[in-house]
Amino acid sequence: MNPVKKSAPAKKAAPVEKSAASKKSAAGKKAAPVKKAAPVKEATVAPKKAAAAVKKASAARTVAPKPPRNESHTALVRRARRINRELAEVFPYAHPELDFENPFQLIVATVLSAQTTDLRVNQTTPSLFAKYPTPEDLAAANPEEVEEILRPTGFFRAKTKSVIGLSKALVENHAGEVPGRLEDLVKLPGVGRKTAFVVLGNAFGRPGITVDTHFQRLVRRWQWTEESEPDKIEAAVAALFPKSDWTDLSHHVIWHGRRICHARKPACGACPIAPLCPAYGEGETDPDKAAKLLKYEKGGFPGQRLNPPQAYLDAGGKAAPPLGAAG
């Protein structure tokens, strides 16, 4: 019986030692993945998900932007349209930020807005239109007098030449009326596709996509397109939306770029579309610090128009001060 008693523990001891070793070994193998898995679980929660994705995307973007998570075209369309819907709720009062009362004033103001702010244009055009209210008046104007009025907008000599030439073309070729067709508008001095679509969308109600610097920056941050040329960006984005959305889409994107998604320091922590943005984390993510980066009505400051629409004022927006006003 003694050999039996000795052999029994020996047989049981061997498996026990092996199982203990295997458990320690298994625990060791499991421990390593657990440490690596922790950040992954945290990254699945928005907006940390967006922030984690951005760190990976940022390095890649210096070479060539790629759709987030190998996004299909269908997924891209859905994400892009959802972003537009979200921005429509944030900026229900979005509108062109140039003051104008008719197509002539809008096309002149848009030409003058190149390389300056809409605010500076709005502060300058009241004097211009008071003295030259029609294309006929501006076509016959003394260039030196127009230059003096336009001086605050910068590049005033070139802009004077453009608006006088534009006015002459309207008088000579269009009976003093701004044409409502793209092919006619782009033939006017100083008028490109961007200016043409601003006029068509806001003076004639004809859909168009306005690809300005804000629009270009944001649609590339959102990885809607990798294109860098305005015409190609316009075509790529147009393919994601129904034509009826184009004008309002332009306003939503531009307003978001001016107020929240700034070029140098985006207010990521105050962004309403952070969970949808593959570039989340490029800017300030702390909500309190991000809130201090907000501009115009979102930051409690005046907008760019001296005479904004009533809907904007009702939403808490403030009219901009005229040129030379104190404060």
Side-chain angles (χ1 to χ4, degrees):
M1 291 185 68
N2 287 339
V4 173
K5 289 180 181 178
K6 289 179 182 178
S7 60
K11 289 179 181 178
K12 289 180 182 178
V16 168
E17 289 173 4
K18 288 181 182 178
S19 62
S22 62
K23 284 181 181 178
K24 289 179 182 178
S25 171
K29 290 179 181 178
K30 290 180 181 178
V34 167
K35 291 179 182 178
K36 293 180 181 178
V40 175
K41 290 181 180 178
E42 290 177 4
T44 59
V45 182
K48 290 181 181 179
K49 177 179 179 181
V54 166
K55 289 178 182 178
K56 294 179 181 178
S58 295
R61 282 152 57 108
T62 59
V63 180
K66 294 182 179 180
R69 303 176 300 280
N70 297 318
E71 190 173 41
S72 68
H73 179 73
T74 299
L76 171 60
V77 169
R78 290 174 178 170
R79 183 169 63 89
R81 294 185 181 186
R82 184 178 171 189
I83 286 176
N84 187 40
R85 290 195 300 271
E86 295 282 348
L87 294 182
E89 293 182 8
V90 177
F91 305 111
Y93 43 77
H95 56 270
E97 294 194 89
L98 289 168
D99 283 325
F100 70 98
E101 296 179 357
N102 54 55
F104 173 63
Q105 291 188 0
L106 179 57
I107 196 170
V108 169
T110 307
V111 169
L112 295 178
S113 68
Q115 296 178 295
T116 190
T117 63
D118 286 355
L119 172 58
R120 184 48 57 93
V121 174
N122 292 336
Q123 292 173 326
T124 305
T125 50
S127 298
L128 180 70
F129 295 139
K131 190 167 185 177
Y132 310 107
T134 69
E136 290 81 1
D137 295 322
L138 192 51
N142 181 334
E144 292 182 358
E145 294 179 359
V146 176
E147 286 179 3
E148 194 58 34
I149 295 174
L150 300 185
R151 187 179 293 272
T153 67
F155 303 95
F156 57 91
R157 291 189 179 88
K159 290 180 180 180
T160 295
K161 184 177 180 180
S162 291
V163 297
I164 290 180
L166 163 66
S167 300
K168 287 180 179 178
L170 291 177
V171 173
E172 295 171 2
N173 303 325
H174 301 283
E177 298 291 333
V178 176
R181 299 194 313 165
L182 176 64
E183 52 267 38
D184 292 328
L185 287 169
V186 295
K187 292 177 182 177
L188 297 171
V191 178
R193 289 180 69 86
K194 183 189 81 169
T195 298
F197 281 130
V198 169
V199 175
L200 289 173
N202 298 289
F204 294 98
R206 297 175 183 173
I209 293 178
T210 303
V211 185
D212 73 348
T213 55
H214 299 288
F215 195 96
Q216 292 183 50
R217 180 178 75 253
L218 267 62
V219 299
R220 285 176 60 81
R221 271 183 180 166
W222 296 335
Q223 295 184 18
W224 288 4
T225 180
E226 297 178 11
E227 300 293 348
S228 57
E229 297 177 18
D231 290 1
K232 292 182 179 180
I233 290 174
E234 177 197 325
V237 175
L240 304 177
F241 295 88
K243 192 173 183 178
S244 58
D245 287 352
W246 290 354
T247 299
D248 285 340
L249 167 70
S250 299
H251 291 322
H252 297 153
V253 175
I254 292 169
W255 275 57
H256 188 61
R258 284 176 170 168
R259 286 152 176 77
I260 298 175
C261 194
H262 313 306
R264 295 183 180 178
K265 199 168 186 181
C268 294
C271 180
I273 59 166
L276 301 171
C277 180
Y280 177 87
E282 287 188 2
E284 179 57 66
T285 57
D286 179 84
D288 293 332
K289 293 179 180 178
K292 295 178 181 179
L293 299 175
L294 300 179
K295 295 183 179 179
Y296 304 117
E297 78 285 351
K298 291 299 177 185
F301 304 109
Q304 300 212 40
R305 290 188 66 164
L306 277 66
N307 299 298
Q310 189 59 45
Y312 176 73
L313 298 174
D314 292 341
K318 300 177 182 178
L323 191 65

